[in-house]
Amino acid sequence: MSFPAMPKAVHQFYAGSLAADAELWGAGFAEDALFHDPVGSEPIRGREAILAKLRKVIPLFDPFIGITPIEAYTTGGETAVSWRGAVVTTDGNPVNWSGISVFRLNDEGLIAEARLYFHHGVFSAQAQLAGH
């Protein structure tokens, strides 16, 4: 699979998701990063808290197929990416959703803030996992 061109940290975000590898997925975040997953929910603060969330979410699905980037646009220290996500719940329910993420990078090229825009209700209804 080829990805659209993206800064390294943003590429790691998607590569880690598709590999169901929390460490790779979270590696591009700055120590003090903010992660809005989705926008409108309480942001997750700090790389360690983000990694803890990712480590918790991946095992909820089998398989965790991941988030596939479709298009990416980078300008002014921010990258916007349209994407599709897919997972299968442990009881066999397929879940497909899509959205747009906006990443703000710091001076070191790490993700300072990630804002994911998608309809969490659509995700939850398919997954039948209210609150996840």
Side-chain angles (χ1 to χ4, degrees):
M1 154 169 286
S2 64
F3 284 10
M6 297 176 277
K8 181 179 179 180
V10 177
H11 182 273
Q12 284 179 294
F13 179 92
Y14 291 102
S17 170
L18 289 167
D21 180 337
E23 305 311 310
L24 178 60
W25 196 352
F29 282 95
E31 287 293 326
D32 59 349
L34 290 175
F35 187 28
H36 305 266
D37 182 27
V39 167
S41 64
E42 184 69 27
I44 303 166
R45 298 177 185 278
R47 181 188 301 147
E48 287 307 313
I50 293 166
L51 283 167
K53 169 77 175 197
L54 298 174
R55 290 178 192 126
K56 179 181 174 186
V57 168
I58 292 170
L60 296 175
F61 303 96
D62 186 21
F64 188 96
I65 300 164
I67 302 170
T68 303
I70 300 167
E71 294 182 276
Y73 306 92
T74 300
T75 185
E78 291 193 341
T79 299
V81 181
S82 62
W83 50 264
R84 290 187 311 257
V87 294
V88 177
T89 64
T90 55
D91 60 351
N93 291 325
V95 179
N96 296 283
W97 76 110
S98 60
I100 297 170
S101 296
V102 179
F103 300 89
R104 182 176 53 81
L105 304 180
N106 65 15
D107 292 338
E108 289 80 39
L110 296 173
I111 300 168
E113 185 172 20
R115 299 181 311 270
L116 279 62
Y117 295 87
F118 66 95
H119 194 294
H120 194 265
V122 169
F123 176 89
S124 293
Q126 290 182 67
Q128 299 176 356
L129 294 171
H132 294 285

